[in-house]
Amino acid sequence: MEETWRWFGPLDDIRLEEIRQTGATGIVTALHEIPYGEVWPEEAIRARQAMIAAAGLRWSVVESLPVHEDVKRGSGDLGRIFANYRESLRNLGRCGIRTVCYNFMPVVDWTRTDLAYPMPTGAVALRFDAVRQAAFDVLMLRRPGAEADHPPAVIAVARDWLARAGDAEQATLLNAIMAGLPGAYDRYDIPGMRRMLESYRGIDAAALKSHLARFLREVVPVAEEAGIALCMHPDDPPRPIFGLPRIVSNRQDLADLVAMVPSRANGITFCTGSLGAGVANDVPAMAREFAPHTAFLHLRNVTKEADGSFHEADHLGGDVDMPAVIAAFLEEAARRRAAGRGDADLPFRPDHGHVLLSDAGRRTHPGYTLIGRLRGLAELRGVIAGLGYRAA
């Protein structure tokens, strides 16, 4: 399995030279400066590749080649958007990049309510708090129908929280929710968020899945020609949020995804944290079932609570049996290697590290610390080495 590291480009506070010292060999990044729906020019891709190569690393995975909101809504100038996406894939293929991660979450990407949740050790983690989520959705955003999506007991506590929260705390909550778009162009204030939600009126899970199927039919054949594996990231959290449908949250959703356009070019980014936040998800079983369709791994862990809250745990802590998951993918890598396939060295990255030691004070994207992720990588590396030794 290939050790990779997410890097947000030249403006990332973590330098490529630091990443090289982690032992990771592959970079996971994107051309975040290019607006959604526009073409990624070949010269821009090659320039970023050269920057990465100069540090002794390689651009292993694109994360993400974003899907425009119009595609998810099934509206607007889709012919142009699909054509641009196909051209970007062709350009990436010409540059030798073979793995492209994307997601199909409407409006917001991963969602957290607290970017500085204190752990018992003194570390700082990301957290999704059901009470603060209800406070934002029902009381700050005032989304029509929101009360039906939150238990009455949670809403009651949310009202108490909001009564005590000042403007600064409310602004911090909004910022936390928007932080899940780490490379995106758009950030929303509350009126902007309301407008975006209104644009999805009438789009339920079935409609969103139909829009996804159309997108895949439009782009997967070109990904095949370019030698690229497209791999969709699951929903985070894996449940409807802000009244928006989420359609890649559980075992059935993953099965539906790979069945829409059967192809090695239509695959999965298997994220243990996103799937692990789903109460009914058996993550090791899902890993075993969908390993043949997986092109990229996000390895992190979460600890869930009864009210739907969860926080980012240590990589080998939390509710997900990480060694069992890794074992499933090591077995899949061995099968691919035995079949002579070129995609046997599955790329994985440590995801959403805690704020540890000198991470504090650095201007890194939430969850994308240096030492916190380095600890996670070291732990994952140890599991991989141990399982490999046992199998030898």
Side-chain angles (χ1 to χ4, degrees):
M1 294 168 68
E2 180 191 13
E3 296 180 3
T4 67
W5 190 278
R6 192 169 191 186
W7 178 64
F8 292 98
L11 298 181
D12 196 326
D13 191 64
I14 296 173
R15 304 185 309 278
L16 289 169
E17 292 76 15
E18 292 177 291
I19 296 171
R20 189 176 184 189
Q21 292 180 49
T22 69
T25 57
I27 290 295
V28 177
T29 194
L31 300 181
H32 295 297
E33 66 274 18
I34 297 179
Y36 290 13
E38 300 302 316
V39 174
W40 285 18
E42 184 175 342
E43 57 270 25
I45 298 167
R46 292 195 183 278
R48 189 63 51 86
Q49 272 185 312
M51 181 183 300
I52 293 166
L57 301 161
R58 78 181 191 100
W59 189 352
S60 178
V61 179
V62 168
E63 185 179 349
S64 297
L65 183 57
V67 179
H68 196 280
E69 292 294 327
D70 282 349
V71 175
K72 302 171 194 176
R73 288 185 291 244
S75 63
D77 187 4
L78 294 183
R80 173 183 173 276
I81 292 171
F82 289 140
N84 287 353
Y85 205 97
R86 289 191 291 263
E87 187 60 25
S88 295
L89 289 173
R90 292 187 184 99
N91 290 342
L92 288 164
R94 280 191 283 267
C95 294
I97 297 174
R98 299 295 174 229
T99 308
V100 174
C101 173
Y102 69 102
N103 77 69
F104 217 76
M105 289 178 266
V107 183
V108 291
D109 201 315
W110 59 264
T111 302
R112 301 292 183 272
T113 61
D114 194 337
L115 305 181
Y117 178 64
M119 300 292 285
T121 61
V124 172
L126 302 178
R127 175 175 168 81
F128 179 91
D129 185 274
V131 168
R132 294 191 184 193
Q133 173 67 10
F136 181 81
D137 194 20
V138 177
L139 306 172
M140 292 170 59
L141 189 61
R142 298 177 185 172
R143 177 176 64 84
E147 291 199 21
D149 293 342
H150 303 271
V154 170
I155 294 175
V157 180
R159 291 187 191 281
D160 290 341
W161 178 85
L162 191 65
R164 297 190 306 271
D167 292 342
E169 285 182 276
Q170 293 184 42
T172 297
L173 177 56
L174 174 62
N175 178 66
I177 290 169
M178 289 298 105
L181 299 166
Y185 257 70
D186 292 329
R187 293 289 189 275
Y188 310 117
D189 56 14
I190 285 179
M193 185 80 163
R194 289 176 182 146
R195 288 191 295 271
M196 285 300 299
L197 295 179
E198 179 63 25
S199 75
Y200 277 87
R201 180 187 290 272
I203 299 176
D204 60 9
L208 190 60
K209 280 197 175 184
S210 73
H211 299 164
L212 170 60
R214 179 182 178 186
F215 168 72
L216 292 173
R217 291 193 298 269
E218 292 280 353
V219 303
V220 167
V222 170
E224 290 176 338
E225 294 167 9
I228 286 174
L230 285 167
C231 44
M232 182 187 248
H233 189 285
D235 302 325
D236 185 8
R239 68 191 73 158
I241 192 167
F242 302 125
L244 298 165
R246 291 286 179 100
I247 58 170
V248 191
S249 293
N250 54 44
R251 184 218 159 265
Q252 187 58 56
D253 290 339
L254 293 181
D256 291 346
L257 166 65
V258 298
M260 285 176 182
V261 180
S263 169
R264 281 192 196 171
N266 174 32
I268 296 165
T269 296
F270 197 93
C271 179
T272 54
S274 297
L275 296 171
V279 174
N281 287 340
D282 183 337
V283 180
M286 294 168 76
R288 291 188 292 271
E289 180 176 359
F290 293 104
H293 303 284
T294 297
F296 182 34
L297 299 170
H298 288 182
L299 299 180
R300 61 181 174 87
N301 222 319
V302 293
T303 296
K304 299 186 290 291
E305 300 169 31
D307 67 354
S309 303
F310 61 89
H311 68 267
E312 308 279 359
D314 294 334
H315 281 70
L316 301 186
D319 299 332
V320 176
D321 184 345
M322 192 66 72
V325 171
I326 290 173
F329 288 106
L330 287 174
E331 290 168 7
E332 173 63 21
R335 284 192 292 270
R336 295 184 189 187
R337 198 169 294 112
R341 289 173 51 172
D343 60 350
D345 200 14
L346 275 166
F348 76 93
R349 66 173 180 83
D351 199 9
H352 290 192
H354 292 166
V355 176
L356 299 178
L357 304 172
S358 60
D359 286 331
R362 291 195 72 165
R363 297 181 61 189
T364 55
H365 292 285
Y368 292 97
T369 56
L370 177 61
I371 297 174
R373 282 187 291 166
L374 177 57
R375 174 183 170 176
L377 178 59
E379 292 175 344
L380 297 169
R381 183 183 291 151
V383 171
I384 292 168
L387 289 171
Y389 175 80
R390 188 176 66 182

